[in-house]
Amino acid sequence: MHRHRELCERAVDPLEIAAGLEAHGITDRAAARFRHRDVFSLAEELYARTPRGEAAPVEPGPGPARPRAVRRFGYALLPGALALGAAATGMPGAGPLAALVTVGALVWPGRSGTGRFPYAAHLLAAAAVGWAVHRHGPALGAALALAVGPAHLAAAVFAARARRRLAGSRALEDFAAGARPLLAGVLLLFTAAAAGAAALAGAAQAVAVPLAVLLFLARLLLTHGTHRAPVAAALALALVPAPAAALAAAAGLLVHAVLALSRASAHARS
C-alpha cells in the first residue's frame, strides 16, 4: 500500500488498481506472496483498505472533448486528401509524400510504448512504407493514406469500448474475454475499409491490405503503451523483399496484439 499509495488513492474501483499493479509488473505469483490467489484479489484488498474522501471524482464534461475529436478526425482525413490530390496532379513526389503523411498520421502514438529506442518503431514504419511504395508505385501510398481516416475511427472506437468494458468488468479474466472479440471486430472493420481504400486508389489489395493492417496494429499497440520490441520486429519483417512478408508480419503482430490489448493495464488511465 505504501509503494502504490497514489494509484490506490486515485482509483475509482479495484479493477483500476489491478490494471496499475499489472502495469508495474505485479503478477499472480507476486500476489501469492501476500496470500492472495491473483492480482485482482490483491487489488480488492488494497481498494478496501485505502482511505479516500466521500466526494465522487469529477468527470470531465463532454463539451470540450467533442470539438477536439472532430478536429482530430479532420486531421486523419488530410493524408488521403493530400495523396489523392498529388496523384491527380501528376506530382513527381506523390509516392514519397503519401508515405510520409501515412507514417506520421497512422503510426504516431498518443502514448509512447515501453522499452529502449523510443523512435525505432516509427523509423521502421517509415522504411517499410517507403520501401513498399518504391516497389509497388504511388497507388499503394495513396491507398495507405486513405486508410488513415478509417484507422483513426477504428482505434477511437476500440479505445472507448475497451475503457467502458474495463469500468464494467468485475475481474481481469472478464475484461480479457470481452476485449478479444472487440479487437477482432474492430480489425475486421478496418480490413474492409483498407480493402475499399486500395480499390479506390487502384492499388493491389494483396499488397495494400496486409501492410495497412500491420500499420494499424502498430498504431494500436504503440498508442496503448505496450512494449515496442514486437512492433519493431514485425515492421522489420515487412522490409523483407518477399510477397508474403507483410502478411506474415501482420499475422505475427496480431498474435501479440491479442495478448497485449486484452490486458487491463493497456487501458488503464495514464
Side-chain angles (χ1 to χ4, degrees), residues 80-261:
L82 289 173
L84 285 181
T89 57
M91 181 178 170
L97 174 64
L100 179 63
V101 296
T102 298
V103 171
L106 186 55
V107 183
W108 196 265
R111 285 169 64 190
S112 55
T114 58
R116 300 172 63 186
F117 309 111
Y119 297 106
H122 306 93
L123 293 175
L124 286 168
V129 173
W131 174 236
V133 170
H134 174 72
R135 291 175 62 203
H136 300 285
L140 175 62
L144 295 176
L146 283 171
V148 173
H152 176 84
L153 284 178
V157 168
F158 176 74
R161 294 287 181 86
R163 289 296 296 273
R164 192 178 306 163
R165 182 153 194 93
L166 179 63
S169 298
R170 300 181 64 85
L172 296 177
E173 296 82 1
D174 182 29
F175 171 77
R180 295 187 190 105
L182 174 62
L183 175 62
V186 167
L187 187 60
L188 284 175
L189 287 176
F190 173 74
T191 302
L200 184 61
Q205 294 199 7
V207 177
V209 174
L211 188 55
V213 170
L214 173 63
L215 293 173
F216 177 63
L217 290 172
R219 174 198 175 98
L220 282 182
L221 289 165
L222 291 174
T223 300
H224 288 273
T226 62
H227 205 281
R228 302 184 193 101
V231 178
L235 292 169
L237 177 59
L239 288 169
V240 176
L247 181 60
L253 196 57
L254 175 59
V255 174
H256 173 67
V258 170
L259 297 175
L261 297 178

Side-chain angles (χ1 to χ4, degrees), residues 44-102:
E44 284 186 326
E45 180 173 355
L46 290 174
Y47 183 78
R49 287 177 177 269
T50 301
R52 53 181 50 83
E54 296 298 325
V58 178
E59 293 292 334
R66 214 169 278 171
R68 192 183 308 123
V70 173
R71 188 167 59 248
R72 287 178 178 174
F73 179 61
Y75 292 155
L77 295 177
L78 280 178
L82 289 173
L84 285 181
T89 57
M91 181 178 170
L97 174 64
L100 179 63
V101 296
T102 298

Side-chain angles (χ1 to χ4, degrees), residues 13-39:
D13 55 29
L15 192 60
E16 188 171 342
I17 297 179
L21 293 176
E22 190 181 66
H24 284 89
I26 304 297
T27 63
D28 290 347
R29 180 176 298 180
R33 293 172 47 214
F34 302 101
R35 300 186 180 183
H36 283 275
R37 65 182 183 277
D38 53 27
V39 176

